[in-house]
Amino acid sequence: MQFMLLFSRQGKLRLQKWYVPLSDKEKKKITRELVQTVLARKPKMCSFLEWRDLKIVYKRYASLYFCCAIEDQDNELITLEIIHRYVELLDKYFGSVCELDIIFNFEKAYFILDEFLLGGEAQETSKKNVLKAIEQADLLQENLDFQIRLLPGMISGLLTVESVAVSVPVALVINLIPSERGFILHVLSFWSLDQTKTKLI
Amino acid sequence: MPAPIRLRELIRTIRTARTQAEEREMIQKECAAIRSSFREEDNTYRCRNVAKLLYMHMLGYPAHFGQLECLKLIASQKFTDKRIGYLGAMLLLDERQDVHLLMTNCIKNDLNHSTQYVQGLALCTLGCMGSSEMCRDLAGEVEKLLKTSNSYLRKKAALCAVHVIRKVPELMEMFLPATKNLLSEKNHGVLHTSVVLLTEMCERSPDMLSHFRKNEKLVPQLVRILKNLIMSGYSPEHDVSGISDPFLQVRILRLLRILGKGDDDSSEAMNDILAQVATNTETSKNVGNAILYETVLTIMDIKSESGLRVLAINILGRFLLNNDKNIRYVALTSLLKTVQTDHNAVQRHRSTIVDCLKDLDVSIKRRAMELSFALVNGNNIRGMMKELLYFLDSCDPDFKADCASGIFLAAEKYAPSKRWHIDTIMRVLTTAGSYVRDDSVPNLIQLITNSVEMHAYTVQRLYKALLDDISQQPLVQVASWCIGEYGDLLVSGQCEEEEPIQVSEDEVLDVLEGLLVSNLSTPVTRGYSLTAIMKLSTRFSSLNRIKKVVSIYGSSIDVELQQRAVEYNALFKKYDHMRSALLERMPIMEKTATNGPAEIVQTNGETDSTILDTKHLPNITQPASQANDLLDLLGGNDVVPVIQTTVPTKPASAGGELLDLLGDLSLTGGPTPTPAPSVPMSQPPFLLDGLTSQPLFNDIAAVIPPMTAYNKNGLKIEFTFERSNPNPNIAVITIHATNSTEAEMTEFVFQAAVPKTFQLQLLSPSSNVVPALNQGSVTQVIRVLNPQKQQLRMRIKLTYTHKGSPVQDLAEVNNFPPQSWQ
C-alpha cells in the first residue's frame, strides 16, 4: 500500500497515513485531487478506480470514506478486506465507532492503524491480538505497574468481564482494599472494551 | 503560565468555528501559545502541545516548528511521550527533512529497550518512513530482532526488513540467514509478515528466487501451510466469514505465483493445492472471492496444466455473472490479461462480456469494450459488430474515439464482405463521426478505392449522408472525396446494391459548394471539397459553374484554399490539355500498414495525392535502381537483389505478409494501433502481459544471442533473432536502429543483400526517423530463408539524412552467431 486516507463527505481529512516519501506539497495535491475524484463517484459504482498509475480502493462507511492506494500487483479484493478489518478494530476499540470518535481521538486511530499495518502491509491477522496489543500499550501509558493480589471473591466478578481482558491481568493480581475498589473498577472498565459486560462486584 | 489547554478541548473549540477565517484565528492563537511553551522547554506539557500541533497539521496548517519537539519526545523516558513523539515523527519528519537523521540514535536505543511496546514503536517508525541512511545504520538491529523468539517483535521486524530492503537493496543478503526458520512459526502474524518478506526478496533478486526454490524448498512448506489453513476447522481467532485467515492465504498464493513462474517443478508441486483452493473456497462473500482471484492470477502465471487453466477461466466467467460490481471489474481485468493465451476458453464467455457493455459503471464498460475487441474474430464478427455499434451509439464521448478506432480495426481484419465493411464504416461515421481519429480518413479512402465494384453504392450512400448532416468532419471529408472521384457514377444513377437515386450535376455541386461556405466546415474539409469540385470538371459537363467557384476562391483568406484555387485556375487557363489526364480516376492504392507513416503523406489532401500519381512512376523504378546499385557494389557475384518495402512509396510487395502481421496488432486489446507490425514478432515479453506463461515463440527466442551488426557515427544497428516455428529454415531477424547523436536521423532507409543461396525478405520498418539520443529506435523485420544451412552473411546499406546532409554507408555483417543459421 502506498497510502491510506480517511475523509468525510465534505472532503475534510480525518486521517492520512503515507508509506512513501513525498513532500508536503505533493501530499496536499494528491489528497485534494483524490478526494475530489472519489467524492464525484456515484454510489452504485465499483470500489476500484485507476488514478495516475495507481489502483485506488475505496469504501464508504457511514459518513467516512476509507481510501487506499495500492500497487499494480496488489489484490484489490483483499484490500477491501483490510479496510474492513481496520473499521472492525476501530469499532471494537471505541464501541460502535462513529466519525466523531475518530475526530476527537485521532491519535488513537493512528495507534490502532500502526498496530495493524506496518510499511503498508498487515502485520497481524488476528483481530484479538491487535486489540490486545493496543490495550496493553494503553495500560503502559496509564502507568499501571503495581502488583495487586487476586482474592477468591473476585473471581466470579472478573470472569464475567470480556475474555480479552482476562488474559491481561494474569500478571496482575487485584487487591480488594475498599479505597482502591473504585480505582479497580475504573481499571476494569478501562480494560473491558465493551463496558456493559463488566459485572460489578 | 497557565497549563495549555487539552487536546480534546482544542478540537472542540476549533470545531465551533463557523468560518475559515475564525478557524485560522483560533489556530494562530493556539500556535503562538504552543510556540512559547516550546521555547520554555516545558517537559510536562510537551506531549500535549505536540498532539495539538498534529491535529492542526491534519487540518492543513504548517507545523514544522514542532519537528525538534518530536525528537525530544522520542528521547523522553515516558511511554506517553514516546508514543506521541513517534507519531509526530511519522507525520512531520519525512526523509526530506534535515533533522530526521537525529532520530537514528533514539530509534537505536529504543530498538533495544526492555519494553516490547517501545521496541514496537521504534520498529514501526523505521518501517514506515526510515530513510536509506537510517536503514543502513539500523539494519543490524532489525536483523537481530528478526531472530528473536518474541513473535510480537518478530513480525514487526520482518516488515521493517522489507522496508530496509526496498530502500537499500544491497542489504538483502544480510537478512537471508534469519529467514531460515521463519515459516516454522505457529503465530499467524509472523507467518504473514515472513511471507511478505520472502516475496519481497524473491521479487527483487533472481538469485534469491532460485535459492529459495531449490535450497530452501520453499514451495512444499508453503503448500503445507496453505493446506493446514484450508483443512483446519473453525478457528475463531483468524476466521473471517468462515474462511481461516484469508490475508495469509492470499499472501501465500502470491508467493507461490512468483516461485512457480517459469519453473516446471515448482508449478507441478502446487497444482494440487491450487485446484483444492479453487474448488473448495466459499464464494458467497468478498473474502472468498479475494482468495479465488489470487488463485486465478497464480494459475495463469505459472506453468499449470490445461485443466487447471480452464478451471481458472471458468472461475472468472462465474465472477462475471456475480452481482457485485467489484467482482465483475476484477474478472474483466483478469480476462483481458489472459485473452491472448487462452483465447478459446475466454470466447466461451463472450456473451457475458458483451452484456457488460451495458453496465452503468464506467470502468466496467471500458474493460468490457477492450475485451470485446480482443475477442472479435472471423466467426463472430457480425454479431459482435452489431453489439459494438450499439455500444458506440449509446456510450460516453470519452469512449467514442477508442471504440471507433477499434471498430475500424476489427472491420478491416475480419470484414465478411466489402459491402458490409463499407456499411459498417458508414454507420460509425454517421453516429460518432466527430470522434473518429484523423488518420482514419485516409484509411477509409484507401479502402473505398480498393473496393471497385462498390464505388457507385458507396458514393450514393455518402451523398445521402451528406444531405442529412454536414457537421461531422471525417464523414464530410470522405464523402466529398468520393463525390469528387465518383461523381459521374452518382449522377448517372447506376447502382446495383440499392435503389439508385436521381441526382443532377447541379445538386451535387450545390452540396459541395455548401460545404465550402458552411461555418461547420474546417479548413481541411474545405480543401477536400474544393478539390472535389475541381475533379468534377472532368466528369461533369457544367464547366462554367466549376470555373466560377474555383476563381472565387482564388482570393480566399485561407492560404491553403487560395493556393489550390489559383493552381486550379492555372489548370483551366494554361494547362487545359493536361487537365483530363491529371484529374482522372485514382489508381487502386496498395494497402500498407494501417498506421504506417505512409498515411502522413496522404492527409494533406488531394493536391498531394495527385502529385503522388505522377511521382508514382519514377518512384517505382527507384527500388529497382537501388537494388542494381547494390548489385554493382557487391561485385555482382552470388548476390540476389532484395525485395523490400521502403517507406514513402508503395511498391506492390509484402502486402500479404503485412496483413498477417496486422493480425497480431490487437494484442493489448484493440483500440491502440500504435505498435508497428514488426513488433509482435520480436518482443513477445512486452506485449504479452505478466499473466501468460508461454511466449509467442517458444523455443529459441532467448537462446540465440543478439548481436551488434553496425556501429558507426552514432548509428547503432542491433540484430535480434527468432526462429519461425512452422519453418525452421527461416530465421527472423529484427533490426533495431538507435541513434546516440544529438540530431535525429530522418529518411532512414535500411537495405540488405545476401548470397545467392539465401532468400531475403524485408518487411516494412516501424518508421523512417531514428530519434536522437537513444530516445527510441526504428525496428524492421528481415526474414531469411536458409534451406541449405549455410553460414549467414549479409551486406547492408544505410541511407539517412543527418543534420541536413545525406549520409550513405555500406557494411558487411559476418558475425552472425552460429545458432542463427544452423
Side-chain angles (χ1 to χ4, degrees), chain B residues 344-569:
Chain B
N344 293 332
V346 181
Q347 278 283 1
R348 256 177 259 143
H349 302 280
R350 199 181 66 239
S351 48
T352 330
I353 294 171
V354 167
D355 279 337
C356 287
L357 282 173
K358 307 194 182 90
D359 201 295
L360 293 165
D361 186 310
V362 167
S363 329
I364 291 186
K365 270 204 276 216
R366 179 168 285 279
R367 282 191 159 42
M369 180 180 83
E370 289 174 15
L371 203 49
S372 305
F373 281 126
L375 285 177
V376 167
N377 64 25
N379 294 331
N380 56 32
I381 179 73
R382 282 188 196 268
M384 289 293 273
M385 197 48 83
K386 236 197 308 235
E387 295 286 342
L388 288 167
L389 285 171
Y390 180 72
F391 176 65
L392 184 65
D393 273 338
S394 51
C395 68
D396 299 328
D398 333 320
F399 285 103
K400 288 205 196 233
D402 290 330
C403 191
S405 312
I407 290 181
F408 284 147
L409 219 65
E412 215 173 288
K413 275 194 274 177
Y414 300 113
S417 75
K418 288 247 161 82
R419 172 163 175 179
W420 180 94
H421 196 167
I422 290 182
D423 279 341
T424 310
I425 291 176
M426 291 283 314
R427 179 88 185 270
V428 175
L429 285 179
T430 45
T431 49
S434 23
Y435 300 98
V436 159
R437 278 174 50 182
D438 288 336
D439 64 353
S440 43
V441 172
N443 289 343
L444 298 176
I445 292 178
Q446 191 183 60
L447 176 67
I448 292 172
T449 53
N450 281 340
S451 32
V452 178
E453 65 279 9
M454 302 294 303
H455 284 168
Y457 171 70
T458 314
V459 70
Q460 188 164 292
R461 284 210 60 185
L462 284 169
Y463 179 74
K464 282 199 271 193
L466 258 193
L467 288 177
D468 281 329
D469 171 25
I470 58 168
S471 63
Q472 307 196 80
Q473 298 307 300
L475 173 64
V476 173
Q477 288 167 10
V478 174
S480 36
W481 190 92
C482 283
I483 295 176
E485 270 300 299
Y486 310 120
D488 46 337
L489 291 176
L490 182 62
V491 172
S492 65
Q494 21 161 283
C495 177
E496 292 113 26
E497 301 283 340
E498 62 172 27
E499 193 63 35
I501 56 174
Q502 303 304 328
V503 169
S504 73
E505 293 184 1
D506 275 323
E507 284 172 342
V508 175
L509 286 172
D510 280 340
V511 170
L512 287 174
E513 278 185 54
L515 290 174
L516 274 175
V517 300
S518 164
N519 285 336
L520 297 165
S521 302
T522 63
V524 172
T525 310
R526 293 208 176 95
Y528 270 89
S529 40
L530 187 61
T531 308
I533 293 179
M534 187 61 195
K535 282 196 216 165
L536 288 175
S537 70
T538 50
R539 293 157 177 74
F540 281 4
S541 48
S542 33
L543 269 181
N544 286 330
R545 183 172 173 183
I546 294 179
K547 274 193 203 173
K548 210 166 69 174
V549 173
V550 169
S551 57
I552 290 175
Y553 281 90
S555 44
S556 157
I557 299 176
D558 182 346
V559 178
E560 169 77 26
L561 228 45
Q562 192 189 88
Q563 181 179 4
R564 285 179 194 229
V566 165
E567 286 177 6
Y568 294 156
N569 252 333

Side-chain angles (χ1 to χ4, degrees), chain B residues 112-132:
Chain B
N112 294 313
H113 203 273
S114 51
T115 314
Q116 67 176 17
Y117 297 104
V118 175
Q119 290 173 293
L121 280 178
L123 280 169
C124 183
T125 310
L126 184 59
C128 286
M129 46 81 70
S131 63
S132 349

Side-chain angles (χ1 to χ4, degrees), chain B residues 713-716 737-745 769-777 802-803:
Chain B
N713 295 333
L715 176 64
K716 179 164 145 193
T738 47
N739 165 13
S740 61
T741 66
E742 296 149 351
E744 58 181 23
M745 296 171 177
V769 174
V770 191
L773 298 170
N774 292 329
Q775 278 165 21
S777 66
H802 188 230
K803 291 185 185 160

Side-chain angles (χ1 to χ4, degrees), chain A residues 72-89:
Chain A
D72 233 8
Q73 61 269 43
D74 291 329
N75 182 331
E76 294 97 321
L77 297 177
I78 208 74
T79 311
L80 276 177
E81 289 302 316
I82 289 192
I83 293 178
H84 191 72
R85 173 58 65 88
Y86 181 46
V87 174
E88 281 178 336
L89 289 168

Side-chain angles (χ1 to χ4, degrees), chain B residues 40-318:
Chain B
E40 288 172 16
E41 297 284 333
D42 183 342
N43 283 338
T44 338
Y45 295 115
R46 184 176 289 130
C47 177
R48 189 186 288 185
N49 285 326
V50 169
K52 287 188 282 185
L53 202 56
L54 292 178
Y55 178 72
M56 296 190 284
H57 177 249
M58 185 145 68
L59 291 178
Y61 297 92
H64 44 269
F65 55 90
Q67 286 170 4
L68 274 173
E69 303 301 315
C70 290
L71 291 173
K72 291 183 198 161
L73 281 176
I74 293 174
S76 151
Q77 283 312 307
K78 282 175 64 181
F79 183 66
T80 320
D81 284 355
K82 282 194 192 285
R83 239 183 169 186
I84 297 286
Y86 276 118
L87 180 61
M90 284 194 269
L91 288 175
L92 301 178
L93 275 176
D94 62 26
E95 59 185 44
R96 288 145 189 272
Q97 313 299 332
D98 308 316
V99 291
H100 85 278
L101 282 173
L102 296 174
M103 264 199 293
T104 317
N105 207 31
C106 284
I107 295 188
K108 186 161 187 180
N109 291 335
D110 283 340
L111 282 175
N112 294 313
H113 203 273
S114 51
T115 314
Q116 67 176 17
Y117 297 104
V118 175
Q119 290 173 293
L121 280 178
L123 280 169
C124 183
T125 310
L126 184 59
C128 286
M129 46 81 70
S131 63
S132 349
E133 296 90 1
M134 282 169 71
C135 288
R136 244 184 261 271
D137 289 335
L138 299 169
E141 306 292 326
V142 176
E143 199 257 340
K144 214 166 62 183
L145 285 172
L146 195 51
K147 296 193 274 210
T148 174
S149 55
N150 181 336
S151 49
Y152 177 78
L153 291 176
R154 210 165 181 204
K155 68 187 190 206
K156 288 185 192 275
L159 287 181
C160 201
V162 171
H163 181 84
V164 169
I165 291 175
R166 283 187 187 150
K167 284 289 187 186
V168 192
E170 302 89 59
L171 291 174
M172 200 185 330
E173 299 285 324
M174 186 175 160
F175 295 104
L176 190 52
T179 62
K180 264 207 178 331
N181 48 7
L182 272 178
L183 288 185
S184 43
E185 267 269 0
K186 289 269 182 287
N187 180 302
H188 280 224
V190 178
L191 276 177
H192 186 270
T193 56
S194 313
V195 173
V196 174
L197 177 58
L198 292 168
T199 310
E200 185 70 25
M201 291 171 121
C202 290
E203 274 177 348
R204 284 196 176 256
S205 153
D207 292 328
M208 284 284 185
L209 179 59
S210 45
H211 167 81
F212 280 121
R213 257 188 205 143
K214 298 183 181 97
N215 308 352
E216 300 288 339
K217 303 260 180 282
L218 210 50
V219 176
Q221 286 186 59
L222 291 169
V223 168
R224 186 179 41 87
I225 298 174
L226 194 51
K227 201 162 196 147
N228 283 339
L229 281 175
I230 306 174
M231 306 302 265
S232 68
Y234 174 77
S235 127
E237 196 172 332
H238 299 112
D239 181 88
V240 180
S241 305
I243 297 183
S244 192
D245 208 339
F247 304 106
L248 184 56
Q249 288 195 31
V250 165
R251 254 6 256 249
I252 292 182
L253 287 165
R254 187 160 147 187
L255 182 53
L256 284 176
R257 178 154 86 238
I258 298 172
L259 289 171
K261 187 168 184 165
D263 187 76
D264 286 316
D265 293 326
S266 308
S267 305
E268 171 116 18
M270 52 179 92
N271 264 328
D272 285 339
I273 192 69
L274 289 174
Q276 213 178 352
V277 176
T279 41
N280 289 346
T281 313
E282 261 295 314
T283 59
S284 52
K285 292 276 179 75
N286 184 54
V287 238
N289 288 321
I291 296 179
L292 280 179
Y293 177 40
E294 197 73 31
T295 315
V296 166
L297 290 179
T298 303
I299 292 177
M300 299 317 288
D301 234 9
I302 64 172
K303 295 192 165 233
S304 48
E305 46 190 37
S306 59
L308 209 51
R309 294 181 87 88
V310 170
L311 181 60
I313 303 242
N314 287 344
I315 292 178
L316 290 178
R318 263 188 314 190

Side-chain angles (χ1 to χ4, degrees), chain A residues 1 12-24 26-28 41 44-50 55 71-78 80-82 85 100 102-108 110-111 114-129 132-134 136-138 140-143, chain B residues 7-8 11-12 15 23 51 54-55 57-58 60 79-80 83-84 87 90-91 94-96 115-117 123-124 127-128 152 155-156 159-160 166-167 187-190 192-193 196 203 237-240 245-248 250-251 254 257 286-287 289-291 293-294 319 325-327 329-330 361-364 367:
Chain A
M1 197 186 296
K12 293 207 142 192
L13 198 61
R14 300 297 177 206
L15 192 145
Q16 51 174 332
K17 188 76 188 176
W18 298 84
Y19 295 108
V20 285
L22 290 168
S23 74
D24 237 7
E26 283 167 336
K27 286 185 195 168
K28 285 214 174 115
R41 304 266 291 180
K44 292 264 181 194
M45 296 177 103
C46 76
S47 292
F48 314 128
L49 61 111
E50 274 114 41
K55 298 201 271 198
E71 280 147 0
D72 233 8
Q73 61 269 43
D74 291 329
N75 182 331
E76 294 97 321
L77 297 177
I78 208 74
L80 276 177
E81 289 302 316
I82 289 192
R85 173 58 65 88
L100 275 180
I102 301 187
I103 296 173
F104 279 92
N105 300 290
F106 71 94
E107 85 277 12
K108 298 227 174 72
Y110 273 111
F111 296 152
D114 286 337
E115 276 301 325
F116 176 43
L117 301 177
L118 203 161
E121 306 283 348
Q123 55 177 289
E124 179 58 65
T125 54
S126 150
K127 221 175 0 181
K128 180 179 114 181
N129 287 347
K132 196 159 72 167
I134 295 281
Q136 294 186 325
D138 281 347
L140 213 56
Q141 208 170 314
E142 298 281 319
N143 245 335
Chain B
L7 172 63
R8 320 265 177 253
I11 299 178
R12 206 165 297 139
R15 280 171 65 78
E23 183 183 283
L54 292 178
Y55 178 72
H57 177 249
M58 185 145 68
F79 183 66
T80 320
R83 239 183 169 186
I84 297 286
L87 180 61
M90 284 194 269
L91 288 175
D94 62 26
E95 59 185 44
R96 288 145 189 272
T115 314
Q116 67 176 17
Y117 297 104
L123 280 169
C124 183
C128 286
Y152 177 78
K155 68 187 190 206
K156 288 185 192 275
L159 287 181
C160 201
R166 283 187 187 150
K167 284 289 187 186
N187 180 302
H188 280 224
V190 178
H192 186 270
T193 56
V196 174
E203 274 177 348
E237 196 172 332
H238 299 112
D239 181 88
V240 180
D245 208 339
F247 304 106
L248 184 56
V250 165
R251 254 6 256 249
R254 187 160 147 187
R257 178 154 86 238
N286 184 54
V287 238
N289 288 321
I291 296 179
Y293 177 40
E294 197 73 31
F319 274 5
K325 272 195 196 315
N326 298 331
I327 311 257
Y329 176 91
V330 145
D361 186 310
V362 167
S363 329
I364 291 186
R367 282 191 159 42

